[in-house]
Amino acid sequence: KSLKSDVSVTLVRVEYNGALLGDSCQTDVLPDGTANYNFTTSFECSPNGPNSLDDIVQKLVLLTVIEVQKEKKKEKTVPLGQAVVDLLPLLQGQCSFKVLAPLYAVPASPLESLQLEAKGGLEVTVCTEEPLLSATQLSDGNLLSVTLEAAYSVPEAFAAAGPLQNFMACLQVPAAGEKEFPLLFMNGIFKPAGEKEPLPRPKKWPLGNIMAPGALNIPNSFIVGGPYEDEDGELNKREDMEFRIQAESTKRIVWDMERRCYLDPAAVVTLQKRITECWYWPLEVCRASVGSPSKGKTTKADKGDEDKQISFHGVAYVNMVPLLCPGVKQIRGAFRVFAYHSSEVFEKTKCQHSVFRDLRKLSLSKEGLWTPGISSPLSRAVHSKIQKEDKITKDSSRRVRPREANCNMPFIMPVMALDNMTLREQYLSSQQYTEAETFLVMEIKLDKALVPKRSREELTSQVSQMIPPRPPLPPRTEGAKKAVEDYHNHVTSIAVAILSEYHELFGKQLPERGVIDPQTLQEQKRQLNFELNISGKYFAFKEQLKYAVVKIVREKYLKTTAFETQEQLQAFLSELYVYLVDQMHVALNQLLFEEAAPPAPPPRVTEDQLWLFAREAEVNKDYKLAALYHQQRVAQDQCNIQYWLDYGIFCLLLEERMKAQECFREALSLDPHHIQSLLLCGIVAVMLQHCEEAEIFFEDACCLEPSSVVAWTLSGLFYELQDNNIQAEMAFREAKKLLQAQLAKESSIPEAAEGEGGEKPISAAGVRSPSPSPKECSP
């Protein structure tokens, strides 16, 4: 689509994994800028074939649109644009999918002048005869993605002018089966000091020989960065912030490249086992110098120069432990680069074999390490060196896997020079990483967490199974009584208001004999009714009384539906009228002839006083009296969570663990989401050796309130008791991060009050009350 300009005849060339799959027929471009190729091609995918699952997950189908120009008797072809198709959906359970692959212009082509990089596209349909993964592989397998962003604060020697340089990095991970799969990052770009890398910025495909640079960007995949303190690697403390900010503006090597690897179920188990056995994995980095192409045979003098092609061999130790924490699918951070020493690498990573030892196995030319048009003398040097070393290590390599090599075997990189001068140069170049404080920023991401995290609903359900919540309060049975009381109150208030109106009209003075003749009384009643009607107060009183009557009908007589016949309605109204008149007389009699009942005296001892009495008894070691006061508090209000917690903590003081557990569970039954109750239930469960229950309580507390330092700290202590060092470290790290954030927030409060003569605020951690108050929370 969108092929315009003077383009008339085009074809599409399809390539995959370095092989040409075919060319379409030459097709005329229609006036609307579209061309229908109707081209179909295929390739075989098999575990042991040339295109395995590892290739499907990381290799892309490359589509090149080529213009065919007919000049006299010859045909000239000019590449116009390129597009790539990602085959990852085939490993996500799909057997067929259709995409519109963006077509990016090739430099110096007619499309580039039209600026149609984001407008042109190729409609591509990909399908397979059967699913590539079985149901087991799809559910238990995983996808590992590693993004190498950049190396910052690189040595000054990187900026020196010289031959073409290629900056490489490599990380080995367990692949399908028993293989080790190297994730190789090449073609790092050196950038001088200046502006920082923009955020967000697109990630790039690991493509080598591609003519359209725009096709390197991965669609909808960006490097977004984030706060340093939220990272998982090194240099994430507050004191490192200034150095990181400065380093990101200095000389750097930028990759922004993502590599992927499919992990079958066996490889997922191996990955977990490897991380458990060794927390740190080596990410090797180096610089390779690419010599100019030369013709003829290579002389012995040239071979000496070829031995020096690789330099600045360093290693960064990546802590993979966070991936074993429940629910963690991604780690991102900065990792320092050190000089590569085989003994140190083996001590930290249990890996003595360097991934750059056998560049021939990495298929550098196939991966696109060298730029087009440049020969690779390094590969010839490596080939000759490896032939010599293979004679020595042939037998041992058959018996020992690379990561399990004998630590006593001397380590020599074949790509390095065999003379002492070259070794010294290699050592000095690697040491510059430490002097320059170089660090790498990378991201490791899994499609599914290695250790699933229980959801909040699941944890709440498990807690509810152990401690059923208290049943809801029974429905109110005094609704009718309350409705009658409201009716009495309304009658009383209306009677008082009418009496006030009477006093305003006729005064409060009674006749001399205290009796009003009936004729005068009837005249006063008529005049009072007239005044109430013309003032609107009569209708106000009527409306006020209506709601009280409706409540009586609904609550006492339970009438909520319409009557079926008119006779039923009249019978009910007669009964209701008699009842309302009787209750009106009751209310008026109470108003005129009875005195109001005196208010109930307050209780002699309040709950707070009982708590203070209990604390005093504890100090005096009169535990029986203290227990009595705690029981009285609970008896006065059994729905108060804090009363149950205080009583449970007192039972722990007396080492009555079962009674304490009962108290804490009573508190938790009142509110299953109460954090303190969950933590105290977890503590008692640990004391009673109920470790599975304790883990559920602590995990639920951290899930309900992720910002609780106490919850994460107690979880870390629990996992430490269980010798689960990985989750203990994760919990302690989370607690430390939250505590540092709280301290930073407190320190950032402006000290304006201090300048106005106010006192400097004191941290709560620095002052403790000699005895807790009743409102204090237990842990």
Side-chain angles (χ1 to χ4, degrees), residues 176-406:
E178 297 293 328
K179 298 184 296 181
E180 290 283 342
F181 188 81
L183 297 179
L184 188 62
F185 301 87
M186 300 166 292
N187 300 324
I189 301 174
F190 174 80
K191 292 188 177 182
E195 296 182 357
K196 294 184 178 181
E197 295 297 314
L199 289 174
R201 60 183 186 273
K203 297 180 181 180
K204 300 183 183 299
W205 296 113
L207 298 177
N209 301 332
I210 191 167
M211 294 180 288
L216 290 174
N217 296 337
I218 303 178
N220 303 321
S221 184
F222 299 92
I223 297 172
V224 297
Y228 300 136
E229 56 270 16
D230 292 343
E231 294 180 351
D232 300 289
E234 308 165 21
L235 299 173
N236 54 2
K237 300 180 178 59
R238 295 181 61 189
E239 54 268 23
D240 302 320
M241 189 176 301
E242 184 178 357
F243 168 69
R244 289 281 300 272
I245 295 175
Q246 293 178 354
E248 290 176 359
S249 302
T250 59
K251 302 179 184 66
R252 56 198 180 274
I253 307 297
V254 179
W255 285 274
D256 290 344
M257 186 181 298
E258 179 182 273
R259 297 297 302 263
R260 300 184 304 209
C261 176
Y262 168 71
L263 303 175
D264 64 3
V268 172
V269 175
T270 303
L271 177 64
Q272 291 180 276
K273 182 180 178 182
R274 293 278 180 85
I275 297 176
T276 304
E277 293 174 351
C278 187
W279 292 9
Y280 294 93
W281 286 23
L283 173 66
E284 297 185 43
V285 293
C286 72
R287 186 184 73 173
S289 300
V290 184
S292 301
S294 59
K295 296 181 180 180
K297 296 183 178 180
T298 306
T299 63
K300 294 184 178 180
D302 296 332
K303 290 183 179 180
D305 294 334
E306 291 174 359
D307 291 334
K308 303 177 184 179
Q309 296 295 324
I310 284 185
S311 59
F312 293 95
H313 189 198
V315 61
Y317 300 103
V318 182
N319 187 0
M320 304 286 285
V321 168
L323 292 180
L324 293 185
C325 298
V328 175
K329 298 189 294 184
Q330 174 182 343
I331 57 176
R332 180 184 180 274
F335 302 92
R336 296 182 185 272
V337 180
F338 302 92
Y340 189 99
H341 300 301
S342 58
S343 58
E344 294 180 3
V345 174
F346 180 78
E347 180 182 357
K348 292 186 177 182
T349 68
K350 309 303 179 186
C351 175
Q352 186 179 3
H353 190 90
S354 169
V355 292
F356 292 132
R357 184 178 181 221
D358 191 353
L359 296 182
R360 181 180 57 184
K361 294 182 180 179
L362 296 180
S363 304
L364 295 180
S365 60
K366 186 177 180 180
E367 295 286 348
L369 171 62
W370 317 116
T371 54
I374 299 178
S375 63
S376 56
L378 175 60
S379 60
R380 297 196 300 270
V382 171
H383 183 72
S384 61
K385 295 293 181 184
I386 291 175
Q387 284 182 338
K388 297 178 182 179
E389 177 150 330
D390 282 348
K391 296 179 181 179
I392 302 174
T393 60
K394 183 176 181 181
D395 297 333
S396 60
S397 63
R398 292 176 181 174
R399 298 190 300 269
V400 184
R401 294 180 61 191
R403 282 184 176 266
E404 299 171 354
N406 188 349

